[in-house]
Amino acid sequence: MKRVGIIGLGNMGIGMAKNIIENGFSLIGYDLRDERLKALEALGGKAASSPREVGQQADTVFIMVFNGKQVYEVVTAEDGLLQSMKAGSTIIVSATIEPREVREVAKAVFAKGVNLIDTPVSGGKAGAEAGTLTMMAAAQKEVFDANQDILRAVGEKIFHVGEEVGTGQTVKAALQAFIGASFTAIFESLVLGAKAGVKGETLFEVFSASGVGSPLFRNCAQLIMDRQFKNTGSHIGTMYKDLGISMAMAKENGVAMFTTSAAYELFQSGISLFPDEDNWSIVKLLEQIADTEVKW
């Protein structure tokens, strides 16, 4: 039986942990929060006291933390993974970070003879819990192939986007620009329709049946109309961070990002007003300006 580890047991990590265990792998995990370690144990996993302990007992380790600084610390710190992982083992970076950050981590990892798969994910909390994440994996083909069983424990659509580390994060940054801009278009169109006197149910039905109808729209619009702005698995801080990565990549590559920059500014305003809420809470800012409310 392959021994798997996971660092980071938030909404995404705990869902991934459940599916790793259900697919027959032994799992050891670490998180700074005791309650998340207890949740892992309740699923049948083993709680570790440090990333180093995870590295001692796992052949393959997922890292699902918030940002690049945390990934680097988990890997290189005195109690980090590289203090104990054996040559030939594999680190899977599933967190969304900047391409340059994962390349920096890879230098330290490769120097120890450890493999690395750069594979951010898409699908949110629901995808993590269902094991249906979309994965954008960049790694040497032989490393990618050797870890297919583990990747398929958490992902449904797994793309090998290249062999150069950083390519996975690059694809994710482009995707998040698309998703972020789509969110703001949904927010604005619903507020416009509501202010003009159209029922939310009508907007939902017509938009869903049109060319822009999609699971992204339906999920977003339903949560807005149900007025569910907390604990839906899509925290505003995560999208704000991701859009910042998209904008940084655009600057590095000299690409104009008119709609993405507008989305980034809107999310910045949203996180200032609703720091503890989810993406959909931004619609409340637009509702305040228009003096209306999107509802069924």
Side-chain angles (χ1 to χ4, degrees), residues 249-267:
M249 193 173 81
K251 184 177 181 180
E252 290 173 9
N253 288 276
V255 176
M257 303 285 280
F258 297 106
T259 55
T260 305
S261 62
Y264 182 59
E265 292 298 328
L266 191 54
F267 269 84

Side-chain angles (χ1 to χ4, degrees), residues 7-266:
I7 310 291
L9 295 166
N11 286 334
M12 296 293 292
I14 201 68
M16 294 166 66
K18 175 183 74 72
N19 286 293
I20 292 167
I21 293 167
E22 288 180 355
N23 275 270
F25 297 102
S26 64
L27 181 67
I28 181 170
Y30 175 73
D31 194 281
L32 292 172
R33 298 161 294 180
D34 288 339
E35 67 270 19
R36 306 311 289 178
L37 294 175
K38 290 177 181 176
L40 175 65
E41 291 176 326
L43 291 172
K46 180 180 178 182
S49 60
S50 68
R52 181 173 184 163
E53 185 180 352
V54 174
Q56 286 174 336
Q57 299 187 38
D59 306 304
T60 301
V61 179
F62 285 92
I63 301 178
M64 181 51 90
V65 293
F66 185 67
N67 57 36
K69 180 180 179 181
Q70 292 173 352
V71 173
Y72 193 79
E73 289 177 350
V74 161
V75 172
T76 65
E78 290 184 4
D79 63 347
L81 290 172
L82 291 183
Q83 300 301 319
S84 59
M85 290 190 78
K86 299 180 179 65
S89 55
T90 302
I91 291 173
I92 302 177
V93 179
S94 51
T96 297
I97 63 177
E98 293 187 34
R100 65 169 181 82
E101 291 175 323
V102 76
R103 288 193 288 266
E104 195 173 322
V105 170
K107 288 179 183 178
V109 171
F110 293 155
K112 292 285 189 176
V114 176
N115 301 313
L116 185 142
I117 301 177
D118 162 31
T119 181
V121 303
S122 183
K125 178 183 177 182
E129 291 176 345
T132 58
L133 293 170
T134 296
M135 311 185 78
M136 301 138 245
Q140 292 294 310
K141 188 64 163 57
E142 57 269 26
V143 175
F144 175 74
D145 290 343
N147 286 277
Q148 279 296 297
D149 53 348
I150 297 172
L151 294 173
R152 294 198 177 280
V154 299
E156 180 178 52
K157 298 176 182 177
I158 303 171
F159 297 92
H160 187 225
V161 298
E163 296 205 341
E164 183 179 347
V165 168
T167 307
Q169 300 295 341
T170 299
V171 174
K172 179 64 184 291
L175 175 62
Q176 291 303 84
F178 186 12
I179 292 175
S182 298
F183 277 149
T184 56
I186 292 169
F187 302 153
E188 290 180 351
S189 63
L190 291 176
V191 170
L192 175 63
K195 179 64 175 181
V198 182
K199 292 182 179 179
E201 183 177 3
T202 300
L203 295 171
F204 185 87
E205 290 177 350
V206 174
F207 289 10
S208 295
S210 75
V212 298
S214 66
L216 178 71
F217 167 74
R218 288 188 288 274
N219 179 63
C220 179
Q222 181 159 351
L223 289 168
I224 289 170
M225 294 184 199
D226 288 344
R227 314 307 288 177
Q228 293 185 25
F229 300 117
K230 286 187 177 183
N231 302 317
T232 67
S234 294
H235 193 274
I236 192 172
T238 301
M239 178 56 72
Y240 177 62
K241 180 261 298 184
D242 290 356
L243 286 173
I245 293 172
S246 301
M247 293 303 298
M249 193 173 81
K251 184 177 181 180
E252 290 173 9
N253 288 276
V255 176
M257 303 285 280
F258 297 106
T259 55
T260 305
S261 62
Y264 182 59
E265 292 298 328
L266 191 54

